Every structure is written in C-alpha cells, then in structure tokens.
Amino acid sequence: MTQGKKLELKCKKCGQTQKYHVNELIAEESKIALIIGLLIFLVGTPLTVYWLWGYLFKVALIYSTITIAALIGVPLTIFTLIERGQREKVSRFNSFKLNE
C-alpha cells in the first residue's frame, strides 16, 4: 500500500528490472519455514525421547504409550502449525486483488 499499485522488481535469474502491478504478483510458500518445521520434528522427537527415556518405562505400560504418543505429537503439532500458517498466508495474499 505504501509503495503504490506498481512495484519495481528485479528478476533473480536474468537481472532485468521491470514494473509489475500488485495484482500480477503471486506469493509462494516459504521453503525455509517448512524446513525449520521439519527439523523441529526430526530433531525434537528423538531428543525428547532421549531426555525422558528413563522415566518412560518406570510407570505402567499404558502411561508409557501415552507419553510416547505425546512426545511425537508435540513436534508434529509444531510442524503442522508452521505449514498451515504458511499455506494460509499464501492463500490470503493470492486471493486479494485491488480494484482499478
């Protein structure tokens, strides 16, 4: 809004600069956010299990099963929230168009 209806953007491949109307721009999901979420899941789950390994099998079997499911669920939930947030931001940006 502060930059007007036309933006001057430079192509990353060829280096050419050109003006684009804001309705021509399309957002894409950030690969970095998805990689961070995936790393949280892949690293967070084993680390959490490692830290709590001694406590897992001291209690009854049902509590161990619930604990393991929760340990896997927390990093998975974080990854899912990051991925869903990215998808919603892209969808909102791409669905909004300015009237001429």
Coordinates of all heavy atoms in Angstrom, one line a residue:
M1 N 0.8 -1.2 0.0 CA 0.0 0.0 0.0 C 0.9 1.3 0.0 O 0.5 2.2 -0.7 CB -0.9 0.0 1.2 CG -2.0 -1.1 1.2 SD -2.9 -1.0 2.7 CE -4.5 -0.7 2.1
T2 N 1.9 1.3 0.8 CA 2.8 2.4 0.8 C 3.6 2.6 -0.4 O 4.1 3.7 -0.7 CB 3.7 2.4 2.1 OG1 4.5 1.2 1.9 CG2 2.9 2.3 3.3
Q3 N 3.8 1.6 -1.2 CA 4.7 1.6 -2.4 C 3.9 1.9 -3.6 O 4.4 1.9 -4.7 CB 5.5 0.4 -2.5 CG 6.5 0.2 -1.4 CD 7.3 -1.0 -1.5 OE1 7.2 -1.8 -2.4 NE2 8.1 -1.3 -0.5
G4 N 2.6 1.9 -3.5 CA 1.7 2.2 -4.7 C 1.2 0.9 -5.3 O 1.4 -0.2 -4.8
K5 N 0.6 1.1 -6.5 CA 0.0 -0.1 -7.2 C 1.0 -0.8 -8.1 O 0.7 -1.9 -8.5 CB -1.2 0.4 -8.0 CG -2.4 0.8 -7.2 CD -3.6 1.2 -8.0 CE -4.7 1.6 -7.1 NZ -5.9 1.9 -7.9
K6 N 2.1 -0.1 -8.4 CA 3.1 -0.8 -9.3 C 4.4 -0.9 -8.5 O 4.8 0.1 -7.8 CB 3.3 0.1 -10.5 CG 2.2 0.1 -11.5 CD 2.6 -0.4 -12.8 CE 1.4 -0.4 -13.7 NZ 1.6 -1.3 -14.8
L7 N 5.0 -2.0 -8.5 CA 6.3 -2.3 -7.9 C 7.4 -2.6 -8.9 O 7.1 -3.3 -9.9 CB 6.2 -3.5 -6.9 CG 5.1 -3.3 -5.8 CD1 5.0 -4.6 -5.0 CD2 5.6 -2.2 -4.8
E8 N 8.5 -2.1 -8.6 CA 9.7 -2.4 -9.5 C 10.5 -3.5 -8.9 O 11.0 -3.4 -7.8 CB 10.6 -1.1 -9.6 CG 11.6 -1.3 -10.7 CD 12.3 0.0 -11.0 OE1 11.7 1.0 -11.3 OE2 13.6 0.0 -10.9
L9 N 10.5 -4.6 -9.6 CA 11.2 -5.8 -9.1 C 12.2 -6.3 -10.1 O 12.1 -6.1 -11.3 CB 10.1 -7.0 -8.9 CG 9.0 -6.7 -8.0 CD1 8.0 -7.8 -8.0 CD2 9.5 -6.5 -6.6
K10 N 13.3 -6.9 -9.5 CA 14.4 -7.4 -10.3 C 14.3 -8.9 -10.4 O 14.2 -9.6 -9.3 CB 15.7 -6.9 -9.7 CG 16.9 -7.3 -10.4 CD 18.2 -6.7 -9.8 CE 19.4 -6.9 -10.6 NZ 20.6 -6.3 -10.0
C11 N 14.5 -9.4 -11.6 CA 14.4 -10.9 -11.8 C 15.7 -11.5 -11.2 O 16.8 -11.0 -11.5 CB 14.3 -11.2 -13.3 SG 14.4 -13.0 -13.6
K12 N 15.6 -12.6 -10.4 CA 16.7 -13.2 -9.8 C 17.5 -14.0 -10.8 O 18.7 -14.2 -10.6 CB 16.3 -14.1 -8.7 CG 15.7 -13.4 -7.5 CD 15.3 -14.3 -6.4 CE 14.7 -13.6 -5.2 NZ 14.3 -14.5 -4.2
K13 N 16.9 -14.4 -11.9 CA 17.6 -15.3 -12.9 C 18.3 -14.4 -13.9 O 19.5 -14.6 -14.2 CB 16.6 -16.2 -13.6 CG 16.0 -17.2 -12.7 CD 15.0 -18.1 -13.5 CE 14.4 -19.1 -12.5 NZ 13.4 -19.9 -13.2
C14 N 17.7 -13.4 -14.5 CA 18.3 -12.7 -15.6 C 18.8 -11.3 -15.2 O 19.5 -10.6 -15.9 CB 17.3 -12.5 -16.8 SG 15.9 -11.5 -16.5
G15 N 18.3 -10.8 -14.0 CA 18.8 -9.5 -13.5 C 18.0 -8.3 -14.1 O 18.3 -7.2 -13.8
Q16 N 17.0 -8.6 -14.9 CA 16.2 -7.5 -15.6 C 15.2 -6.9 -14.6 O 14.6 -7.6 -13.8 CB 15.5 -8.0 -16.8 CG 14.7 -7.0 -17.6 CD 14.0 -7.6 -18.8 OE1 13.9 -8.8 -18.9 NE2 13.5 -6.8 -19.6
T17 N 15.1 -5.6 -14.6 CA 14.2 -4.9 -13.7 C 13.0 -4.5 -14.5 O 13.1 -4.0 -15.6 CB 14.9 -3.6 -13.1 OG1 16.0 -4.0 -12.4 CG2 13.9 -2.9 -12.1
Q18 N 11.8 -4.7 -13.9 CA 10.5 -4.4 -14.6 C 9.5 -4.0 -13.5 O 9.5 -4.4 -12.4 CB 10.1 -5.6 -15.3 CG 8.9 -5.4 -16.3 CD 8.7 -6.6 -17.2 OE1 9.4 -7.6 -17.1 NE2 7.6 -6.5 -18.0
K19 N 8.5 -3.2 -13.9 CA 7.4 -2.8 -13.0 C 6.3 -3.8 -13.2 O 5.9 -4.2 -14.3 CB 6.9 -1.4 -13.4 CG 7.9 -0.3 -12.9 CD 7.2 1.0 -12.9 CE 8.2 2.0 -12.3 NZ 7.5 3.2 -11.8
Y20 N 5.7 -4.2 -12.0 CA 4.6 -5.1 -12.0 C 3.4 -4.5 -11.2 O 3.7 -3.9 -10.2 CB 5.0 -6.4 -11.3 CG 6.0 -7.2 -12.1 CD1 7.3 -7.1 -11.8 CD2 5.6 -8.1 -13.1 CE1 8.3 -7.8 -12.5 CE2 6.5 -8.8 -13.8 CZ 7.9 -8.6 -13.5 OH 8.8 -9.3 -14.2
H21 N 2.2 -4.7 -11.6 CA 1.0 -4.3 -10.9 C 0.9 -5.3 -9.7 O 1.2 -6.5 -9.9 CB -0.2 -4.3 -11.8 CG -1.4 -3.7 -11.1 ND1 -2.2 -4.4 -10.3 CD2 -1.9 -2.4 -11.1 CE1 -3.2 -3.6 -9.8 NE2 -3.0 -2.4 -10.3
V22 N 0.4 -4.8 -8.6 CA 0.3 -5.7 -7.4 C -0.6 -6.9 -7.7 O -0.4 -8.0 -7.1 CB -0.1 -5.0 -6.1 CG1 0.9 -4.1 -5.7 CG2 -1.4 -4.3 -6.3
N23 N -1.6 -6.8 -8.6 CA -2.4 -7.9 -8.9 C -1.7 -9.0 -9.7 O -2.2 -10.2 -9.8 CB -3.7 -7.5 -9.6 CG -4.6 -6.7 -8.8 OD1 -4.5 -6.7 -7.5 ND2 -5.6 -6.0 -9.4
E24 N -0.6 -8.7 -10.3 CA 0.2 -9.7 -11.0 C 1.1 -10.5 -10.1 O 1.7 -11.5 -10.6 CB 1.1 -9.0 -12.1 CG 0.3 -8.3 -13.2 CD 1.2 -7.5 -14.1 OE1 1.9 -6.6 -13.7 OE2 1.2 -7.9 -15.3
L25 N 1.3 -10.1 -8.9 CA 2.2 -10.8 -8.0 C 1.6 -12.0 -7.4 O 0.4 -11.9 -7.0 CB 2.8 -9.8 -6.9 CG 3.5 -8.6 -7.4 CD1 3.9 -7.7 -6.3 CD2 4.7 -9.0 -8.2
I26 N 2.3 -13.1 -7.2 CA 1.8 -14.3 -6.6 C 2.7 -14.7 -5.5 O 4.0 -14.8 -5.8 CB 1.7 -15.4 -7.7 CG1 0.7 -15.0 -8.8 CG2 1.2 -16.7 -7.1 CD1 0.6 -15.9 -9.9
A27 N 2.2 -15.0 -4.4 CA 3.0 -15.5 -3.3 C 3.2 -17.0 -3.3 O 2.4 -17.7 -3.9 CB 2.4 -15.1 -1.9
E28 N 4.4 -17.5 -2.8 CA 4.7 -18.9 -2.8 C 5.0 -19.2 -1.3 O 5.5 -18.3 -0.6 CB 5.8 -19.2 -3.7 CG 5.5 -19.1 -5.1 CD 6.7 -19.4 -6.1 OE1 7.8 -19.7 -5.5 OE2 6.5 -19.4 -7.3
E29 N 4.8 -20.4 -0.9 CA 5.2 -20.8 0.4 C 6.7 -20.8 0.6 O 7.5 -21.1 -0.2 CB 4.7 -22.3 0.7 CG 3.2 -22.4 0.8 CD 2.8 -23.8 1.2 OE1 3.6 -24.5 1.7 OE2 1.6 -24.1 0.9
S30 N 7.1 -20.3 1.8 CA 8.5 -20.3 2.2 C 9.1 -21.6 2.5 O 8.6 -22.4 3.3 CB 8.7 -19.4 3.4 OG 10.0 -19.5 3.9
K31 N 10.1 -22.0 1.7 CA 10.7 -23.3 1.9 C 11.5 -23.3 3.2 O 11.6 -24.4 3.9 CB 11.6 -23.6 0.7 CG 11.0 -23.6 -0.6 CD 10.0 -24.8 -0.7 CE 9.4 -24.8 -2.1 NZ 8.2 -25.4 -2.3
I32 N 12.0 -22.2 3.6 CA 12.8 -22.1 4.9 C 11.9 -22.4 6.1 O 12.3 -23.2 6.9 CB 13.4 -20.7 5.0 CG1 14.4 -20.5 3.9 CG2 14.1 -20.5 6.4 CD1 15.0 -19.1 3.8
A33 N 10.7 -21.9 6.1 CA 9.8 -22.2 7.3 C 9.5 -23.6 7.3 O 9.4 -24.2 8.4 CB 8.5 -21.3 7.1
L34 N 9.2 -24.3 6.2 CA 8.9 -25.7 6.2 C 10.1 -26.5 6.6 O 9.9 -27.5 7.3 CB 8.4 -26.1 4.8 CG 7.1 -25.5 4.4 CD1 6.7 -25.9 2.9 CD2 6.0 -25.9 5.3
I35 N 11.3 -26.1 6.2 CA 12.5 -26.9 6.6 C 12.7 -26.7 8.1 O 13.1 -27.7 8.7 CB 13.7 -26.4 5.8 CG1 13.6 -26.8 4.3 CG2 15.0 -26.9 6.4 CD1 14.6 -26.2 3.4
I36 N 12.5 -25.6 8.6 CA 12.7 -25.4 10.1 C 11.6 -26.2 10.8 O 12.0 -26.9 11.8 CB 12.5 -23.9 10.4 CG1 13.7 -23.1 9.9 CG2 12.4 -23.7 11.9 CD1 13.6 -21.6 10.0
G37 N 10.4 -26.2 10.4 CA 9.4 -27.1 11.0 C 9.7 -28.5 10.9 O 9.6 -29.3 11.9
L38 N 10.2 -29.0 9.8 CA 10.6 -30.4 9.6 C 11.8 -30.7 10.5 O 11.8 -31.8 11.1 CB 10.9 -30.7 8.2 CG 11.2 -32.1 7.8 CD1 10.0 -33.0 8.1 CD2 11.6 -32.2 6.3
L39 N 12.8 -29.8 10.6 CA 13.9 -30.0 11.5 C 13.5 -30.1 13.0 O 14.0 -31.0 13.7 CB 14.9 -28.9 11.4 CG 15.8 -29.0 10.1 CD1 16.7 -27.8 10.0 CD2 16.7 -30.3 10.1
I40 N 12.5 -29.3 13.4 CA 12.0 -29.4 14.7 C 11.4 -30.7 15.0 O 11.6 -31.3 16.0 CB 10.9 -28.3 15.0 CG1 11.6 -26.9 15.1 CG2 10.1 -28.5 16.3 CD1 10.7 -25.7 15.1
F41 N 10.7 -31.2 14.0 CA 10.0 -32.6 14.2 C 11.1 -33.7 14.2 O 11.1 -34.5 15.1 CB 9.0 -32.8 13.0 CG 8.4 -34.2 13.1 CD1 7.6 -34.6 14.1 CD2 8.8 -35.1 12.1 CE1 7.0 -35.8 14.1 CE2 8.2 -36.4 12.1 CZ 7.4 -36.7 13.1
L42 N 12.0 -33.6 13.2 CA 13.0 -34.7 13.1 C 14.0 -34.7 14.2 O 14.5 -35.8 14.7 CB 13.7 -34.7 11.8 CG 12.9 -34.9 10.5 CD1 13.7 -34.8 9.3 CD2 12.3 -36.4 10.6
V43 N 14.4 -33.6 14.7 CA 15.4 -33.5 15.8 C 14.7 -33.5 17.2 O 15.2 -34.1 18.1 CB 16.2 -32.2 15.6 CG1 17.2 -32.0 16.8 CG2 17.0 -32.3 14.4
G44 N 13.5 -32.8 17.3 CA 12.9 -32.6 18.6 C 12.3 -33.9 19.1 O 12.4 -34.2 20.3
T45 N 11.8 -34.8 18.3 CA 11.2 -36.0 18.8 C 12.3 -37.0 19.4 O 12.1 -37.4 20.5 CB 10.4 -36.8 17.6 OG1 9.4 -35.9 17.1 CG2 9.8 -38.0 18.1
P46 N 13.4 -37.3 18.6 CA 14.4 -38.1 19.3 C 15.0 -37.5 20.5 O 15.3 -38.2 21.5 CB 15.4 -38.3 18.2 CG 14.7 -38.0 16.9 CD 13.7 -37.0 17.2
L47 N 15.3 -36.2 20.5 CA 15.9 -35.6 21.7 C 14.9 -35.7 22.9 O 15.4 -36.0 24.0 CB 16.2 -34.1 21.4 CG 17.4 -33.9 20.6 CD1 17.6 -32.4 20.3 CD2 18.7 -34.4 21.3
T48 N 13.7 -35.5 22.7 CA 12.7 -35.5 23.8 C 12.6 -37.0 24.3 O 12.6 -37.2 25.5 CB 11.3 -35.1 23.3 OG1 11.5 -33.8 22.7 CG2 10.4 -34.9 24.5
V49 N 12.6 -37.9 23.4 CA 12.6 -39.3 23.9 C 13.8 -39.7 24.6 O 13.8 -40.3 25.7 CB 12.4 -40.3 22.7 CG1 12.6 -41.7 23.1 CG2 11.0 -40.1 22.1
Y50 N 15.0 -39.2 24.1 CA 16.3 -39.5 24.8 C 16.3 -38.9 26.2 O 16.7 -39.5 27.2 CB 17.4 -38.9 23.9 CG 18.8 -39.0 24.6 CD1 19.4 -40.2 24.7 CD2 19.4 -37.9 25.2 CE1 20.7 -40.3 25.3 CE2 20.6 -38.0 25.8 CZ 21.2 -39.2 25.8 OH 22.5 -39.3 26.5
W51 N 15.8 -37.6 26.3 CA 15.8 -37.0 27.6 C 14.9 -37.7 28.6 O 15.2 -37.7 29.8 CB 15.4 -35.5 27.5 CG 16.5 -34.7 26.9 CD1 17.9 -34.8 27.0 CD2 16.3 -33.5 26.1 NE1 18.5 -33.8 26.3 CE2 17.6 -33.0 25.8 CE3 15.2 -32.8 25.7 CZ2 17.8 -31.9 25.0 CZ3 15.4 -31.6 25.0 CH2 16.7 -31.2 24.6
L52 N 13.8 -38.2 28.2 CA 12.8 -38.8 29.1 C 12.8 -40.3 29.1 O 11.9 -40.9 29.6 CB 11.4 -38.3 28.7 CG 11.2 -36.8 28.8 CD1 9.9 -36.4 28.4 CD2 11.4 -36.3 30.3
W53 N 13.8 -40.9 28.5 CA 13.9 -42.4 28.3 C 13.8 -43.1 29.7 O 13.1 -44.1 29.8 CB 15.1 -42.8 27.6 CG 15.1 -44.2 27.3 CD1 15.8 -45.2 27.9 CD2 14.4 -44.9 26.2 NE1 15.6 -46.4 27.3 CE2 14.7 -46.3 26.3 CE3 13.5 -44.4 25.3 CZ2 14.2 -47.2 25.4 CZ3 13.0 -45.4 24.4 CH2 13.3 -46.7 24.5
G54 N 14.5 -42.6 30.7 CA 14.5 -43.2 32.0 C 13.1 -43.2 32.7 O 12.8 -44.1 33.4
Y55 N 12.3 -42.2 32.4 CA 11.0 -42.1 33.0 C 9.9 -42.9 32.3 O 8.9 -43.2 32.8 CB 10.6 -40.6 33.1 CG 11.5 -39.8 33.9 CD1 12.4 -38.9 33.3 CD2 11.5 -39.9 35.3 CE1 13.2 -38.1 34.1 CE2 12.3 -39.1 36.1 CZ 13.2 -38.2 35.5 OH 14.1 -37.5 36.2
L56 N 10.2 -43.1 31.0 CA 9.1 -43.8 30.2 C 8.7 -45.1 30.7 O 7.5 -45.5 30.7 CB 9.6 -43.9 28.7 CG 9.7 -42.6 27.9 CD1 10.2 -42.9 26.6 CD2 8.3 -41.9 27.9
F57 N 9.7 -45.9 31.1 CA 9.3 -47.3 31.4 C 9.3 -47.6 32.9 O 9.2 -48.7 33.4 CB 10.3 -48.3 30.7 CG 10.2 -48.1 29.2 CD1 11.2 -47.5 28.5 CD2 9.1 -48.7 28.6 CE1 11.1 -47.3 27.1 CE2 9.0 -48.5 27.2 CZ 10.0 -47.9 26.5
K58 N 9.4 -46.5 33.7 CA 9.2 -46.7 35.2 C 7.8 -46.9 35.6 O 7.5 -47.4 36.7 CB 9.9 -45.6 35.9 CG 11.4 -45.6 35.9 CD 12.0 -44.5 36.7 CE 13.5 -44.5 36.6 NZ 14.1 -43.5 37.4
V59 N 6.9 -46.3 34.8 CA 5.5 -46.4 35.2 C 4.8 -47.5 34.3 O 5.4 -48.1 33.5 CB 4.8 -45.0 34.9 CG1 5.3 -44.0 35.9 CG2 5.0 -44.6 33.5
A60 N 3.5 -47.6 34.5 CA 2.8 -48.7 33.8 C 2.9 -48.5 32.3 O 3.1 -47.4 31.8 CB 1.3 -48.7 34.3
L61 N 2.6 -49.6 31.6 CA 2.7 -49.6 30.1 C 1.8 -48.6 29.5 O 2.2 -47.9 28.5 CB 2.5 -51.0 29.6 CG 2.6 -51.2 28.1 CD1 4.0 -50.9 27.7 CD2 2.2 -52.6 27.7
I62 N 0.6 -48.4 30.0 CA -0.3 -47.5 29.3 C 0.2 -46.1 29.4 O 0.0 -45.3 28.5 CB -1.7 -47.7 29.9 CG1 -2.8 -46.8 29.2 CG2 -1.8 -47.2 31.4 CD1 -3.1 -47.3 27.8
Y63 N 0.8 -45.7 30.5 CA 1.3 -44.4 30.7 C 2.5 -44.2 29.7 O 2.7 -43.1 29.2 CB 1.7 -44.1 32.1 CG 0.5 -44.1 33.0 CD1 0.4 -45.0 34.1 CD2 -0.6 -43.2 32.8 CE1 -0.7 -45.0 34.9 CE2 -1.7 -43.2 33.6 CZ -1.8 -44.1 34.7 OH -2.8 -44.1 35.5
S64 N 3.3 -45.2 29.6 CA 4.5 -45.1 28.6 C 4.0 -44.9 27.2 O 4.5 -44.1 26.5 CB 5.3 -46.4 28.7 OG 5.9 -46.5 30.0
T65 N 2.9 -45.6 26.8 CA 2.4 -45.4 25.5 C 1.8 -44.0 25.3 O 2.1 -43.4 24.2 CB 1.3 -46.5 25.2 OG1 1.8 -47.8 25.5 CG2 0.8 -46.4 23.8
I66 N 1.1 -43.5 26.2 CA 0.6 -42.2 26.1 C 1.7 -41.1 26.1 O 1.6 -40.2 25.3 CB -0.4 -41.9 27.3 CG1 -1.6 -42.8 27.2 CG2 -0.8 -40.4 27.4 CD1 -2.5 -42.8 28.4
T67 N 2.7 -41.3 26.9 CA 3.8 -40.4 26.9 C 4.6 -40.4 25.5 O 4.9 -39.3 25.0 CB 4.8 -40.8 28.0 OG1 4.1 -40.8 29.3 CG2 6.0 -39.8 28.1
I68 N 4.8 -41.6 25.0 CA 5.5 -41.6 23.7 C 4.6 -41.0 22.6 O 5.2 -40.2 21.8 CB 5.8 -43.1 23.3 CG1 6.9 -43.7 24.2 CG2 6.2 -43.2 21.8 CD1 7.1 -45.1 24.1
A69 N 3.3 -41.2 22.6 CA 2.4 -40.5 21.6 C 2.5 -39.0 21.8 O 2.5 -38.3 20.8 CB 1.0 -41.1 21.8
A70 N 2.5 -38.5 23.0 CA 2.6 -37.1 23.3 C 3.9 -36.5 22.8 O 4.0 -35.4 22.3 CB 2.4 -36.8 24.8
L71 N 5.0 -37.3 23.1 CA 6.3 -36.8 22.6 C 6.4 -36.6 21.1 O 7.1 -35.7 20.6 CB 7.4 -37.7 23.1 CG 7.6 -37.8 24.7 CD1 8.7 -38.8 25.0 CD2 8.1 -36.4 25.2
I72 N 5.8 -37.6 20.4 CA 5.8 -37.5 19.0 C 4.8 -36.4 18.5 O 5.0 -35.7 17.6 CB 5.5 -38.8 18.3 CG1 6.6 -39.8 18.6 CG2 5.2 -38.7 16.8 CD1 6.3 -41.2 18.3
G73 N 3.7 -36.2 19.3 CA 2.7 -35.3 18.9 C 3.1 -33.8 19.0 O 2.7 -33.0 18.2
V74 N 3.9 -33.5 20.0 CA 4.3 -32.1 20.2 C 5.1 -31.5 19.0 O 4.7 -30.5 18.4 CB 5.0 -31.9 21.5 CG1 5.7 -30.5 21.6 CG2 4.1 -32.1 22.7
P75 N 6.2 -32.2 18.6 CA 6.9 -31.7 17.4 C 6.1 -31.8 16.1 O 6.2 -30.9 15.3 CB 8.2 -32.6 17.3 CG 8.3 -33.2 18.6 CD 7.0 -33.3 19.2
L76 N 5.3 -32.8 16.0 CA 4.4 -32.9 14.8 C 3.4 -31.7 14.8 O 3.1 -31.2 13.7 CB 3.7 -34.2 14.8 CG 2.7 -34.5 13.7 CD1 3.5 -34.5 12.4 CD2 2.0 -35.8 13.8
T77 N 2.9 -31.4 15.9 CA 1.9 -30.3 16.0 C 2.6 -28.9 15.6 O 2.1 -28.1 14.9 CB 1.3 -30.1 17.4 OG1 0.7 -31.4 17.8 CG2 0.4 -29.0 17.5
I78 N 3.8 -28.7 16.1 CA 4.6 -27.5 15.7 C 4.8 -27.5 14.2 O 4.6 -26.4 13.6 CB 5.9 -27.5 16.5 CG1 5.7 -27.3 18.0 CG2 6.8 -26.4 16.0 CD1 6.9 -27.4 18.9
F79 N 5.2 -28.6 13.6 CA 5.4 -28.6 12.2 C 4.2 -28.4 11.4 O 4.1 -27.6 10.5 CB 6.0 -30.0 11.8 CG 6.0 -30.2 10.3 CD1 7.0 -29.6 9.5 CD2 5.1 -31.0 9.6 CE1 7.0 -29.7 8.2 CE2 5.2 -31.2 8.3 CZ 6.1 -30.5 7.5
T80 N 3.1 -28.9 11.9 CA 1.8 -28.8 11.2 C 1.3 -27.3 11.3 O 0.8 -26.7 10.3 CB 0.7 -29.7 11.9 OG1 1.2 -31.0 11.8 CG2 -0.6 -29.5 11.2
L81 N 1.5 -26.7 12.5 CA 1.1 -25.3 12.6 C 1.9 -24.3 11.7 O 1.4 -23.4 11.1 CB 1.3 -24.8 14.1 CG 0.3 -25.4 15.1 CD1 0.6 -25.1 16.5 CD2 -1.2 -25.0 14.7
I82 N 3.2 -24.6 11.6 CA 4.1 -23.8 10.7 C 3.6 -23.9 9.3 O 3.5 -23.0 8.6 CB 5.6 -24.2 10.9 CG1 6.1 -23.7 12.3 CG2 6.4 -23.6 9.8 CD1 7.5 -24.2 12.6
E83 N 3.4 -25.2 8.9 CA 3.0 -25.5 7.5 C 1.6 -24.9 7.2 O 1.4 -24.3 6.1 CB 3.0 -27.0 7.3 CG 2.9 -27.4 5.8 CD 1.6 -27.8 5.4 OE1 0.8 -28.2 6.3 OE2 1.3 -27.8 4.2
R84 N 0.7 -25.0 8.1 CA -0.7 -24.4 7.9 C -0.6 -22.9 7.8 O -1.3 -22.3 7.0 CB -1.6 -24.9 9.0 CG -3.0 -24.4 8.7 CD -4.0 -24.8 9.9 NE -3.9 -26.2 10.2 CZ -4.1 -26.7 11.4 NH1 -4.5 -25.9 12.4 NH2 -4.1 -28.0 11.6
G85 N 0.2 -22.3 8.7 CA 0.3 -20.8 8.7 C 0.9 -20.3 7.4 O 0.4 -19.3 6.8
Q86 N 1.9 -21.0 6.8 CA 2.4 -20.6 5.5 C 1.4 -20.7 4.4 O 1.2 -19.8 3.6 CB 3.6 -21.5 5.2 CG 4.9 -21.2 6.0 CD 5.4 -19.8 5.6 OE1 5.6 -19.5 4.4 NE2 5.6 -19.0 6.6
R87 N 0.6 -21.8 4.5 CA -0.4 -22.0 3.4 C -1.5 -21.0 3.5 O -1.9 -20.5 2.5 CB -1.0 -23.4 3.6 CG -1.6 -24.0 2.4 CD -2.1 -25.4 2.5 NE -1.5 -26.2 3.5 CZ -2.1 -26.8 4.5 NH1 -3.4 -26.7 4.7 NH2 -1.5 -27.5 5.4
E88 N -1.9 -20.6 4.7 CA -2.9 -19.6 4.9 C -2.4 -18.2 4.5 O -3.2 -17.5 3.8 CB -3.4 -19.5 6.3 CG -4.2 -20.7 6.7 CD -4.6 -20.7 8.2 OE1 -4.2 -19.8 8.9 OE2 -5.2 -21.7 8.6
K89 N -1.2 -17.8 4.8 CA -0.7 -16.6 4.4 C -0.6 -16.5 2.8 O -1.0 -15.4 2.3 CB 0.8 -16.4 4.9 CG 0.8 -16.0 6.4 CD 2.3 -15.9 6.8 CE 2.4 -15.7 8.3 NZ 3.8 -15.6 8.7
V90 N -0.2 -17.5 2.2 CA -0.1 -17.5 0.7 C -1.5 -17.4 0.1 O -1.7 -16.6 -0.8 CB 0.7 -18.8 0.2 CG1 0.5 -19.0 -1.3 CG2 2.1 -18.7 0.6
S91 N -2.4 -18.2 0.7 CA -3.8 -18.1 0.1 C -4.4 -16.8 0.3 O -5.1 -16.3 -0.6 CB -4.6 -19.2 0.9 OG -5.9 -19.2 0.5
R92 N -4.2 -16.2 1.5 CA -4.8 -14.8 1.7 C -4.2 -13.8 0.7 O -4.9 -13.0 0.1 CB -4.6 -14.4 3.1 CG -5.7 -14.7 4.1 CD -5.4 -14.1 5.4 NE -4.1 -14.6 5.8 CZ -3.7 -14.9 7.0 NH1 -4.5 -14.7 8.0 NH2 -2.5 -15.3 7.3
F93 N -2.9 -13.8 0.6 CA -2.2 -12.9 -0.3 C -2.7 -13.1 -1.8 O -3.0 -12.1 -2.5 CB -0.7 -13.0 -0.3 CG 0.0 -12.1 -1.2 CD1 0.4 -10.8 -0.7 CD2 0.4 -12.4 -2.4 CE1 1.0 -9.9 -1.5 CE2 1.1 -11.5 -3.3 CZ 1.4 -10.3 -2.8
N94 N -2.7 -14.3 -2.2 CA -3.1 -14.6 -3.6 C -4.6 -14.3 -3.9 O -5.0 -14.1 -5.0 CB -2.7 -16.0 -4.0 CG -1.2 -16.2 -4.1 OD1 -0.5 -15.2 -4.3 ND2 -0.8 -17.4 -4.0
S95 N -5.4 -14.4 -2.9 CA -6.9 -14.2 -3.1 C -7.2 -12.7 -3.1 O -8.3 -12.3 -3.6 CB -7.7 -14.9 -2.1 OG -7.5 -14.3 -0.8
F96 N -6.4 -11.8 -2.6 CA -6.7 -10.4 -2.5 C -6.3 -9.7 -3.8 O -5.1 -9.8 -4.2 CB -6.0 -9.7 -1.3 CG -6.3 -8.3 -1.1 CD1 -7.5 -7.9 -0.6 CD2 -5.4 -7.3 -1.5 CE1 -7.8 -6.5 -0.5 CE2 -5.7 -6.0 -1.4 CZ -6.9 -5.6 -0.9
K97 N -7.2 -9.0 -4.4 CA -6.9 -8.2 -5.7 C -7.4 -6.8 -5.5 O -8.5 -6.6 -4.9 CB -7.5 -8.9 -6.9 CG -7.1 -10.3 -7.2 CD -5.6 -10.3 -7.5 CE -5.2 -11.8 -7.7 NZ -3.8 -12.0 -7.7
L98 N -6.6 -5.8 -6.0 CA -7.0 -4.4 -6.0 C -8.0 -4.1 -7.1 O -7.9 -4.6 -8.2 CB -5.8 -3.5 -6.1 CG -4.9 -3.4 -5.0 CD1 -3.7 -2.5 -5.3 CD2 -5.6 -2.9 -3.7
N99 N -9.0 -3.3 -6.8 CA -9.9 -2.8 -7.9 C -9.3 -1.6 -8.5 O -8.7 -0.8 -7.9 CB -11.3 -2.4 -7.2 CG -12.0 -3.6 -6.7 OD1 -11.9 -4.7 -7.2 ND2 -12.8 -3.4 -5.6
E100 N -9.4 -1.6 -9.8 CA -8.8 -0.5 -10.6 C -9.7 0.8 -10.5 O -10.8 0.9 -10.5 CB -8.7 -0.9 -12.1 CG -7.6 -2.0 -12.2 CD -6.2 -1.6 -11.8 OE1 -5.8 -0.4 -12.1 OE2 -5.6 -2.4 -11.2

